[in-house]
């Protein structure tokens, strides 16, 4: 049976773990060639090995999205490997606890924690988008999906930098979609709810019951459930979809 992404090339950041890894596997299952990028190259290689084991084609690329030169080189390496860049999933991100900003009130945040988190979650997405657009423009089009979050749509306590970064990713997605629609580049965001990945392990251990009580479906999502939405948004089936920010959250933001 034909895959949704047959003959397309796809670049995924944060592909070493969680949602990015699940997306890399899903893109490959749907027929795409996958460039799996991450700052953790060894773990990105393990994603590539898993893709190859299921009969797909992929390359691993080392990239820290906070370094513009590395982002430029990442896009160039993906194009070198597959000849084009049809789809991009800008997904690399960090949680508040990774930069000492978890549980800190907005007015008490240290500047370094604020800037560090925004640099990965917002500026990292923008750097990727900028280099991807340059390539897609040369080819005559493409599809980009950015990872925002339910916290790009609603607030949450003790996570101001993260919430601000994800709201900004939603804004960037809409603005960029408007800018690049005439160039046949579709740009969307996915807004995951609480998903079972290494990023949420600590939160769920500390206050899992509290979190699940706010989810109408009363469970966490699986990374594969986010990957399904991203694959579809990158596919030609989503030909008229741009500037949308799609909640995949078990109903969290519907309340
Ligand atoms: P994860 O920690 O499992 O994976 C994140 C990946 O990003 C890791 O492989 C890490 O090495 C990579 N990464 C981090 N900083 C990087 C950098 N500077 N350059 C390159 N790679 C970098 O987390 P996840 O849950 O899969 O999160 C993926 C994305 O989904 C993030 O943007 C996160 O904010 C978002 N998100 C996650 C959830 C959730 O519940 N897990 C919910 C909403 C949004």
């Amino acid at each position: 049976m034909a895959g949704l992404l047959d003959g397309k090339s796809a670049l995924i950041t944060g592909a070493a773990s969680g949602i990015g890894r699940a997306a890399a596997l899903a893109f490959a299952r749907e027929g795409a060639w996958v460039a799996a990028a991450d700052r953790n190259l060894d773990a990105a290689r393990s994603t590539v090995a898993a893709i190859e084991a299921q009969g797909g084609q992929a390359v691993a690329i080392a990239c820290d999205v906070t370094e513009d030169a590395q982002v430029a080189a990442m896009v160039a390496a993906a194009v070198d490997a597959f000849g084009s860049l049809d789809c991009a999933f800008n997904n690399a991100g960090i949680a508040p606890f990774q930069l000492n900003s978890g549980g800190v009130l907005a007015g008490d945040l240290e500047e370094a924690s604020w800037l560090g988190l925004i640099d990965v979650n917002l500026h990292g997405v923008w750097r990727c988008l900028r280099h991807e657009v340059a390539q897609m423009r040369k080819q005559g089009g493409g599809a980009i999906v950015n990872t925002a979050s339910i916290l790009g749509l609603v607030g949450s306590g003790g996570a101001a930098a993260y919430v601000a970064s994800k709201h900004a990713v939603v804004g960037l997605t809409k603005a960029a979609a408007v800018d690049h629609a005439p160039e046949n580049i579709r740009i969307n965001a996915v807004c995951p709810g609480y998903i079972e990945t290494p990023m949420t392990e600590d939160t769920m251990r500390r206050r899992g019951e509290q979190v699940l009580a706010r989810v109408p479906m009363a469970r966490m999502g699986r990374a594969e459930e986010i990957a399904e939405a991203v694959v579809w948004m990158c596919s030609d089936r989503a030909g008229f979809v741009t500037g949308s920010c799609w909640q995949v959250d078990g109903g969290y933001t519907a309340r």
Side-chain angles (χ1 to χ4, degrees), residues 17 19 38-39 63-65 91 147-148 162 166 193 195 197-198 200:
S17 173
I19 292 169
D38 205 283
R39 65 178 174 186
C63 177
D64 183 331
V65 298
N91 164 76
T147 301
Y162 187 85
K166 295 299 187 179
I195 309 300
T197 71
T200 48

Side-chain angles (χ1 to χ4, degrees), residues 13-245:
T13 68
S17 173
I19 292 169
R21 180 180 163 93
L25 287 158
F27 271 70
R29 269 196 305 274
E30 292 294 341
W33 301 295
V34 173
D38 205 283
R39 65 178 174 186
N40 182 343
L41 180 60
D42 283 345
R45 285 188 174 129
S46 122
T47 300
V48 166
I51 289 172
E52 288 170 348
Q54 67 181 25
Q57 244 185 298
V59 293
I61 301 173
C63 177
D64 183 331
V65 298
T66 64
E67 297 292 336
D68 193 61
Q70 291 188 30
V71 173
M74 168 185 75
V75 171
V79 174
D80 268 2
F82 304 124
S84 67
L85 182 65
D86 302 310
C87 316
F89 181 30
N90 299 322
N91 164 76
I94 55 172
F97 71 85
Q98 287 172 281
L99 273 177
N100 303 322
S101 64
V104 181
L105 303 185
D108 297 333
L109 275 171
E110 296 292 337
E111 190 181 12
S113 304
W114 171 271
L115 292 177
L117 193 138
I118 299 282
D119 199 24
V120 180
N121 287 10
L122 172 60
H123 299 166
V125 169
W126 171 74
R127 287 183 192 101
C128 292
L129 182 137
R130 181 166 102 83
H131 291 286
E132 291 155 3
V133 161
Q135 173 60 31
M136 289 175 176
R137 178 179 275 157
K138 282 192 239 162
Q139 298 167 193
I144 296 174
V145 175
N146 300 320
T147 301
S149 167
I150 48 173
L151 299 186
L153 302 169
V154 298
S156 179
Y162 187 85
V163 170
S165 74
K166 295 299 187 179
H167 273 70
V169 168
V170 166
L172 169 63
T173 300
K174 291 177 182 176
V178 172
D179 282 346
H180 299 291
E183 297 177 299
N184 195 31
I185 303 173
R186 295 186 300 103
I187 304 174
N188 293 290
V190 66
C191 296
Y194 284 88
I195 309 300
E196 284 172 27
T197 71
M199 183 178 280
T200 48
E201 274 169 14
D202 178 63
T203 305
M204 295 313 287
R205 217 175 7 250
R206 286 186 292 104
R207 50 184 188 90
E209 261 179 50
Q210 211 182 324
V211 167
L212 293 186
R214 296 197 50 182
V215 184
M217 290 184 76
R219 69 168 175 88
M220 294 185 82
R222 289 178 293 107
E224 292 74 17
E225 292 174 307
I226 306 303
E228 287 294 334
V230 178
V231 162
W232 185 81
M233 283 194 281
C234 281
S235 78
D236 294 340
R237 297 244 183 113
F240 198 50
V241 180
T242 198
S244 75
C245 300

